[in-house]
Amino acid sequence: MSAISYRSTRGRAPQLEFGDVLLAGLATDGGLYVPDTVPTLDPSISAEDSYAQVATKVMWPFVAGSLDADDFEAIVEETYAGFSHPDIAPLFQLGAGEWLCDLSYGPTLAFKDFALQLLGRLLDYELTKRDQRVTVIGATSGDTGSAAIHALANRDRINVVILHPEGRVSEVQRRQMTTVTAPNVTNLAVQGTFDDCQDLVKEAFGDHDLRVSAGLAAVNSINWARVMAQTAYYVSAARRVLARTGLPADSPVSFSVPTGNFGNVLSAWYAKRMGLAVDQLIIASNRNDVLTRVMATGALTLAEVVASFSPSMDIQVSSNFERLLFEAGDRDAEAVTRLLASFRSEGHATVDPAWMARIRDEFVAGRLDDAGTLDEMRRVFREHQMLMDPHTAVGLQVGRAQRNNPDVPLIVMGTADPAKFGGAVTEATGQVPSLPDRVGDLMNMTERYEVIPAHLDAVRAHLPLQSGVDGND
Ligand SMILES: *Cc1c(COP(=O)(O)O)cnc(C)c1O
């Protein structure tokens, strides 16, 4: 099979193959890598395949040329063997044609484990092949950080530096990061918002000397490998829901996805481009509703980030939306660059109406505020005796509100375990969700982190020097 190459959404970085894209994260021109061609789904994928089999078949065309097929299959097998539910991404029926695909059975209790557990292993493989080391730097609104730390701790070719917004992640989220005291892990609590953290990471990558001297690599959802890994559960969930419903395997389904950085729902769109039959793709936001505003007004507008009950979606600059803009604009990299530059400088930019028309053909969007989120969690507890995390509740309520065809199954992506956001769950239901045993005695373990101002110099001071990066092996 010939290898797929990847190009930047800004058009001024070299085209790369998968292994390079994996290590690069962000392109050198500030753009995001997208596959040059999108492969067609392997027709042998079926509802009887294990999760790892589906994932291997879905992802293989994207990585072919950079990995050996047997090695890749073994890496994917090992990745999902560490999940704590036999179905990996189990389905629960909530109502007529209404399904929950629960993605919270990884080691850090959120869907981010699906991509990051794989990414850690792929990085290790690639770095060993090249005899290199890297410093992975990432910004987190709470869940990416812990998922990255758990995927990368004690890997000796990798240092991990994770920036989280001080006081804006839940206590469980913070502890899942700061109690990992492996020598290759650094936690930085930034005095600012998630968007400040994300800007600092972009700034670090934009500083060529720093990028080279620290050997920076990114695991944020801007890394293509994450988008790729997530496409697999859309394919797997659709096949299994259709099989359980007795519908033909090529019937359409709809997905509702709680959205922040636009990574997860973008993966659903790639699954659709690969040939998965998808009716509606529903973007569900909390009151930080930048995407809902784009859909309604056709303009990118900046707004203050406000803290909500679903903190992993408290984002007003959804990085991965750039990938969609690039495709909606027929890959006009110059136009994408201009649009985002004017958004950066003016805080406002009008998207070409022709691009918006294509985007509105593919997606619908809705928002839910905190009061609505609590109501939905309460309803789910009353009707199903189920505790639901607040992000998933946003996805469920918005999905039900936007669903337009009762004959098409609606699959809501469950993005976290309720115990990760116990405060909101208790406020809604009066119940205290218990942490699964596999996370250990989190609330009594020692924490280690540094508080820093939102400035690149403060980040730089915590990055290992090149001598550290190239240290003895
Ligand atoms: C990261 C996260 C989201 C948002 O996902 P995006 O890919 O950023 O859109 C939603 N819910 C939870 C629990 C998350 O951790």
Side-chain angles (χ1 to χ4, degrees):
M1 177 177 302
S2 70
I4 287 178
S5 80
Y6 293 82
R7 65 167 71 194
S8 164
T9 51
R10 307 273 174 104
R12 290 170 188 262
Q15 280 198 217
L16 300 177
E17 62 163 23
F18 178 79
D20 298 313
V21 168
L22 174 72
L23 290 177
L26 201 65
T28 49
D29 58 3
L32 309 189
Y33 276 106
V34 297
D36 212 28
T37 52
V38 175
T40 306
L41 283 177
D42 181 335
S44 78
I45 296 172
S46 90
E48 272 77 58
D49 286 344
S50 71
Y51 186 82
Q53 284 169 326
V54 174
T56 304
K57 291 178 189 174
V58 170
M59 292 187 282
W60 171 246
F62 290 110
V63 305
S66 289
L67 280 97
D68 174 82
D70 292 337
D71 289 348
F72 184 62
E73 190 179 348
I75 287 172
V76 175
E77 277 291 340
E78 186 195 274
T79 297
Y80 297 109
F83 281 55
S84 67
H85 193 288
D87 292 345
I88 314 301
L91 295 167
F92 301 94
Q93 185 159 14
L94 293 177
E98 195 180 291
W99 299 80
L100 174 69
C101 177
D102 190 346
L103 303 172
S104 70
Y105 289 90
T108 69
L109 319 180
F111 82 91
K112 306 255 182 353
D113 290 321
F114 274 82
L116 284 162
Q117 284 291 319
L118 179 69
L119 198 72
R121 289 171 170 83
L122 290 176
L123 274 177
D124 225 17
Y125 180 93
E126 194 64 30
L127 291 169
T128 304
K129 192 166 94 187
R130 298 175 184 216
D131 191 21
Q132 275 182 17
R133 299 167 164 274
V134 291
T135 296
V136 163
I137 180 167
T140 185
S141 56
D143 294 331
T144 290
S146 56
I149 287 168
H150 284 259
L152 303 175
N154 295 314
R155 293 195 186 271
D156 44 64
R157 293 180 173 275
I158 302 173
N159 287 302
V160 203
V161 179
I162 297 294
L163 284 62
H164 73 263
E166 188 194 16
R168 289 172 186 256
V169 300
S170 78
E171 184 173 8
V172 170
Q173 285 181 312
R174 188 189 71 240
R175 286 179 169 275
Q176 283 182 310
M177 297 189 277
T178 58
T179 58
V180 178
T181 53
N184 67 333
V185 173
T186 303
N187 275 293
L188 300 177
V190 174
Q191 295 166 320
T193 64
F194 169 69
D195 289 336
D196 293 324
C197 296
Q198 188 158 259
D199 283 347
L200 284 170
V201 169
K202 285 188 182 160
E203 231 185 297
F205 274 94
D207 182 326
H208 181 260
D209 292 345
L210 183 63
R211 181 177 179 146
V212 173
S213 70
L216 295 186
V219 297
N220 272 81
S221 60
I222 52 177
N223 192 307
W224 165 256
R226 285 186 55 185
V227 177
M228 171 191 82
Q230 293 165 181
T231 56
Y233 49 66
Y234 290 100
V235 177
S236 160
R239 289 284 190 274
R240 285 178 294 141
V241 162
L242 293 170
R244 282 173 64 170
T245 316
L247 289 165
D250 58 355
S251 313
V253 298
S254 294
F255 293 107
S256 180
V257 188
T259 306
N261 224 349
F262 203 71
N264 199 1
V265 71
L266 183 73
S267 298
W269 183 68
Y270 272 103
K272 181 179 177 189
R273 287 185 67 202
M274 294 176 81
L276 188 69
V278 177
D279 183 11
Q280 289 182 290
L281 279 179
I282 301 167
I283 299 168
S285 325
N286 66 24
R287 54 195 289 222
N288 297 291
D289 59 348
V290 56
L291 293 163
T292 309
R293 294 199 307 277
V294 180
M295 295 296 283
T297 66
L300 298 168
T301 48
L302 213 50
E304 233 3 63
V305 177
V306 287
S308 79
F309 280 135
S310 42
S312 303
M313 303 175 0
D314 290 348
I315 293 172
Q316 289 282 10
V317 179
S318 295
S319 301
N320 271 299
F321 198 63
E322 179 167 344
R323 288 188 160 111
L324 181 65
L325 288 169
F326 182 68
E327 301 296 352
D330 278 335
R331 304 192 152 200
D332 184 343
E334 293 302 321
V336 168
T337 307
R338 277 197 307 275
L339 179 72
L340 293 169
S342 96
F343 176 53
R344 276 280 158 188
S345 61
E346 333 263 309
H348 180 279
T350 304
V351 182
D352 186 315
W355 302 13
M356 276 317 304
R358 289 185 199 135
I359 291 171
R360 290 190 183 111
D361 270 351
E362 301 281 318
F363 294 90
V364 292
R367 71 194 285 277
L368 187 67
D369 63 13
D370 273 351
T373 306
L374 293 181
D375 282 345
E376 186 67 353
M377 293 163 79
R378 219 171 275 130
R379 182 187 71 81
V380 170
F381 182 58
R382 195 175 57 236
E383 291 180 13
H384 306 285
Q385 291 74 52
M386 176 191 276
L387 297 181
M388 180 169 275
D389 114 90
H391 306 77
T392 308
V394 170
L396 177 58
Q397 197 279 348
V398 172
R400 285 161 58 97
Q402 297 290 333
R403 186 181 184 194
N404 64 8
N405 185 344
D407 296 330
V408 176
L410 172 69
I411 307 175
V412 178
M413 306 320 274
T415 52
D417 186 290
K420 242 185 145 156
F421 304 95
V425 175
T426 305
E427 182 153 347
T429 64
Q431 306 292 308
V432 179
S434 48
L435 279 167
D437 290 342
R438 67 185 188 280
V439 303
D441 190 14
L442 202 57
M443 303 317 266
N444 291 311
M445 285 155 72
T446 309
E447 294 187 79
R448 195 182 71 192
Y449 63 100
E450 302 270 348
V451 179
I452 62 161
H455 196 283
L456 185 60
D457 286 337
V459 177
R460 197 193 315 264
H462 290 280
L463 293 178
L465 300 172
Q466 188 166 20
S467 60
V469 175
D470 285 337
N472 305 334
D473 194 3

